[in-house]
Amino acid sequence: MTASALDILAQHNLRKTAVRAQVLDIFLDSREALSHNDIEAHFNQVDRITLYRTLKTFEEKGVIHKAIDGGEKLKYALCSGHCSEHAHEDHHAHFHCDQCGKTVCIESMHIPAVQAPAGYQLSGAYLVLKGTCATCT
Ligand SMILES: [Zn+2]
Ligand SMILES: [Zn+2]
Ligand SMILES: [Zn+2]
């Protein structure tokens, strides 16, 4: 069973607001990573700053994570439920479809442990798969 928007807000000690609940519903309904514009398109009218802050808060609290796909647009995807504030555990690959531009989490594929060369300090490592998604093949 999937958690509802209200469950997720409660789980992360986030106060319920109309925008937060709606943004979560959009993520729950969508099976792909979403950019700021994708989310904004679901609203009739929304303050861009409020939306920006909502996404930022969600990322900080472990509700959504950046779905790095090598593209120019920053996209976010819903976390699996094991994430908490400042402790994301979304160390999985993201698949980017060259045809439709969709980005999805591949949670079963973990990013292998990597080591930075001597003298370099690693702050992140991403695994991006590119190709054609199931809908476009
Ligand atoms: Zn996360
Ligand atoms: Zn596709
Ligand atoms: Zn992901």
Side-chain angles (χ1 to χ4, degrees):
M1 204 187 81
T2 31
S4 74
L6 295 186
D7 292 340
I8 295 171
L9 287 176
Q11 199 185 323
H12 294 273
N13 295 317
L14 284 162
R15 196 166 46 84
K16 188 209 157 196
T17 69
V19 172
R20 283 177 181 173
Q22 195 173 342
V23 168
L24 272 178
D25 277 334
I26 294 165
F27 274 110
L28 288 166
D29 285 344
S30 156
R31 308 192 58 146
E32 57 183 284
L34 301 167
S35 69
H36 187 119
N37 284 347
D38 295 336
I39 298 162
E40 201 180 336
H42 281 84
F43 284 87
N44 288 328
Q45 207 177 15
V46 66
D47 179 46
R48 302 198 71 174
I49 307 289
T50 306
L51 188 54
Y52 174 82
R53 287 205 189 117
T54 301
L55 293 174
K56 202 164 175 284
T57 303
F58 279 178
E59 199 208 345
E60 283 170 5
K61 297 287 183 182
V63 179
I64 57 175
H65 60 277
K66 286 192 179 93
I68 305 292
D69 65 0
E72 284 172 21
K73 264 198 285 179
L74 174 60
K75 289 184 181 178
Y76 292 100
L78 214 52
C79 291
S80 57
H82 304 293
C83 295
S84 57
E85 189 164 9
H86 305 302
H88 279 282
E89 287 182 27
D90 315 283
H91 309 301
H92 54 252
H94 290 98
F95 191 101
H96 181 74
C97 176
D98 296 326
Q99 308 286 320
C100 65
K102 188 159 92 176
T103 303
V104 292
C105 294
I106 311 290
E107 271 152 5
S108 58
M109 195 176 280
H110 293 269
I111 298 175
V114 287
Q115 241 185 337
Y120 289 79
Q121 212 170 14
L122 199 68
S123 66
Y126 307 100
L127 184 56
V128 182
L129 310 178
K130 284 171 108 50
T132 314
C133 77
T135 317
C136 296
T137 37

